[in-house]
């Protein structure tokens, strides 16, 4: 069973920074793409940033230049460094990973971590 556990969310003032972490755990597995999504009560879940197993990154236009995604393949961890935070970045942030435990690749989600940016 593969589990994703996020951490690092919290309350920060506009202009501040936070660093989210997501650890993938379980029995023998391979992580392919991994990334972050966010959701508010008013909006559907949206992509924030992803990183492939080769290190190719992709960002939503609204966070490009402010957020940086990275991964540590030894620790099975993905990070999201969020700088110059804005109130509109307030959301629940979810980690998502495409993981293979043998045959095929499946989608896994974390439980989410709340990020609140005050003005």
């Amino acid at each position: 069973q593969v589990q994703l556990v996020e951490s690092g969310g919290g309350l920060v003032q506009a202009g501040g920074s936070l660093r989210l972490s997501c650890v993938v755990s379980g029995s023998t597995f391979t992580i392919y793409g991994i990334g972050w999504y966010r959701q508010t009560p008013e909006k559907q879940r949206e992509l924030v940033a992803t990183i492939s197993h080769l290190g190719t990154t992709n960002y939503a236009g609204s966070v490009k230049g402010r957020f940086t995604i990275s991964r540590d393949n030894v620790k099975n961890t993905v990070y999201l460094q969020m700088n110059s935070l804005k109130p509109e970045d307030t959301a629940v942030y979810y980690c998502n990973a495409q993981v293979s435990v043998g045959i095929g690749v499946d989608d896994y989600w974390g439980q989410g971590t709340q990020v609140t940016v005050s003005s």
Side-chain angles (χ1 to χ4, degrees), residues 6-60:
E6 301 108 331
S7 62
L11 173 64
V12 64
Q13 286 189 327
S17 298
L18 283 174
R19 188 194 196 205
L20 305 183
S21 300
C22 172
V23 179
V24 183
S25 64
S27 55
T28 305
F29 58 87
T30 301
I31 304 170
Y32 291 93
I34 190 167
W36 294 91
Y37 291 72
R38 66 187 181 187
Q39 188 170 17
T40 66
E42 297 78 26
K43 297 169 75 172
Q44 288 186 328
R45 193 170 296 188
E46 63 177 7
L47 178 147
V48 176
T50 61
I51 183 167
S52 75
H53 62 291
L54 298 177
T56 302
T57 58
N58 180 45
Y59 295 92

Side-chain angles (χ1 to χ4, degrees), residues 10-16 85-90 115-119:
L11 173 64
V12 64
Q13 286 189 327
L85 281 161
K86 304 175 181 180
E88 51 264 43
D89 294 318
T90 296
V115 171
T116 302
V117 184
S118 62
S119 56

